[in-house]
Amino acid sequence: GLLGRPACLGRRSARGRPEPPANPMGWMPPAGGIALCQGGCVGSHITEEASMQVAIIGIDLAKRTFQVHGAAADGSVVFRKKLSRERLLPFLAPQPSAIVAMEACASAHHWGREIMSFGHEVRLIPPIYVKPFVKRQKNDAADAEAITEAASRPTMRFVAVKSAEQQ
């Protein structure tokens, strides 16, 4: 399945009854009995989002809504989301520790301090270094993807997050 939609692991027999997926190690039903999905398949479902670990999260900051782009260590897309200011921190709090990248600006330092409190590593990138990574027309979603791509580069230069006093 694609991005959070379950990939069906089971198949149906010639009679149309669900049967377990082929598994060389032997298939065992989940505790409590056999689980059937809405399609009638046997077994558990694995989602792409759960199976891929987010390594880098790129955030394009704006006034009201932020575009968030999550990528795995190999560069594959894990999620793309549009979040309001109120929903950004609750979204990032339960995420496993990751690199969170943003373009450096005055508000990025504030958001960086908040995000670091959740255990993430925050990297601020000067906007001039992000621009070459925009692949298509300039919009917030493309910018978030470009920020993620730029942050994954080993030779990229970053800006340190300033404290409230320094700011």
Side-chain angles (χ1 to χ4, degrees):
L2 299 172
L3 299 178
R5 291 195 262 317
C8 197
L9 301 177
R11 60 179 188 270
R12 293 186 171 269
S13 66
R15 292 178 161 181
R17 291 191 176 155
E19 59 183 54
N23 183 352
M25 301 303 286
W27 183 80
M28 293 294 293
I34 295 176
L36 294 176
C37 74
Q38 290 177 346
C41 299
V42 178
S44 61
H45 287 281
I46 299 172
T47 61
E48 292 286 329
E49 199 167 343
S51 65
M52 289 195 298
Q53 184 76 13
V54 178
I56 301 176
I57 300 171
I59 302 173
D60 183 58
L61 301 173
K63 288 182 181 179
R64 295 197 177 133
T65 58
F66 301 145
Q67 285 286 356
V68 183
H69 182 91
D74 64 354
S76 60
V77 177
V78 178
F79 60 79
R80 291 183 177 112
K81 294 189 178 292
K82 184 176 183 178
L83 299 171
S84 66
R85 295 174 76 86
E86 298 80 27
R87 293 186 180 194
L88 180 65
L89 295 178
F91 172 76
L92 291 173
Q95 295 287 336
S97 290
I99 296 168
V100 178
M102 298 174 276
E103 283 183 331
C105 65
S107 66
H109 294 280
H110 164 74
W111 288 107
R113 290 189 298 270
E114 295 290 327
I115 293 168
M116 282 194 302
S117 69
F118 299 130
H120 298 294
E121 179 185 342
V122 176
R123 295 185 179 173
L124 303 182
I125 307 170
I128 194 83
Y129 294 146
V130 174
K131 190 173 182 178
F133 294 98
V134 178
K135 296 178 186 169
R136 51 193 183 278
Q137 64 266 37
K138 173 108 172 71
N139 59 41
D140 292 344
D143 286 351
E145 184 176 351
I147 291 166
T148 304
E149 180 71 25
S152 69
R153 300 295 178 177
T155 58
M156 183 56 61
R157 295 179 184 159
F158 301 104
V159 175
V161 178
K162 293 180 181 179
S163 69
E165 295 79 30
Q166 290 173 322
Q167 236 181 331

